[in-house]
Amino acid sequence: MNFLEERIIKDGVVKSSNVLKVDSFLNHQMDIALIEEIAKEFKRRFADKTVTKVMTIEASGIGIAAFVAKEFGVPLVFAKKSKSINIDGDVFVAEVESFTHRNKNQVIVSKKFLHEGEHILIIDDFMANGCAMQGLISIVESAGATVEGCGIVIEKGFQIGGRVIRNLGYHVESLAIVDAMDAETGSVTFREQ
Ligand code: 5GP
């Protein structure tokens, strides 16, 4: 078991058959020493990539991605959720269905902060069905930039996102892949990597 899997076993809570709560150390209260270790591990896994910018989606990806951006010595840009239907031409837009809130959001990135020819590493806390990741990928590609990789802290391997994004040909690195979890017993099973 790696450091993150150990922490999930210790402090993660299986909320239901498909929701894992890690809010005591990852996405509400944050254990900064752990986040630093996560960022170093992403740097190691994407060491051979050219990365000019890290990208994530608000809100819970931001804190993690900030440390990853520091490791690479590049800026972080995060996609913002926008309620406005009158989005002007100064932004790249994608529609993303929220796994946790079950609603659709338009997410936007200003054209000032994403340019043709950039090399983007996308980071997020979780991958479930892959909607957030697909939205971010489509924003990067509509800018004419390149997706260098997708770094996920916790992938739920029993949901389709990881398979879909890998099948599209993207380099996905997940620090923990949960293959099964049981809300009654609280057990979590990880994929051997
Ligand atoms: P997807 O778009 O891949 O279906 O879902 C990814 C997004 O939903 C992530 O940005 C994350 O915030 C949220 N999410 C998905 N599954 C979980 C989960 O089991 N626990 C938590 N805390 N967030 C999740």
Side-chain angles (χ1 to χ4, degrees), residues 30 42 84 128 154 161:
M30 296 173 74
F42 281 131
S84 166
I154 305 172

Side-chain angles (χ1 to χ4, degrees), residues 103-160:
N103 60 349
K104 283 193 177 171
N105 281 300
Q106 293 203 297
V107 300
I108 58 163
V109 171
S110 167
K111 289 184 177 173
K112 282 187 290 189
F113 307 127
L114 182 61
H115 304 111
E116 193 176 342
E118 286 203 274
H119 297 269
I120 309 296
L121 175 61
I122 303 176
I123 297 289
D124 206 2
D125 59 344
F126 271 93
M127 180 131 74
N129 295 324
C131 299
M133 191 51 70
Q134 278 185 298
L136 291 171
I137 289 170
S138 91
I139 284 177
V140 172
E141 295 194 334
S142 57
T146 303
V147 176
E148 288 292 334
C150 308
I152 303 295
V153 182
I154 305 172
E155 175 180 337
K156 287 178 294 173
F158 55 89
Q159 293 173 301
I160 59 167

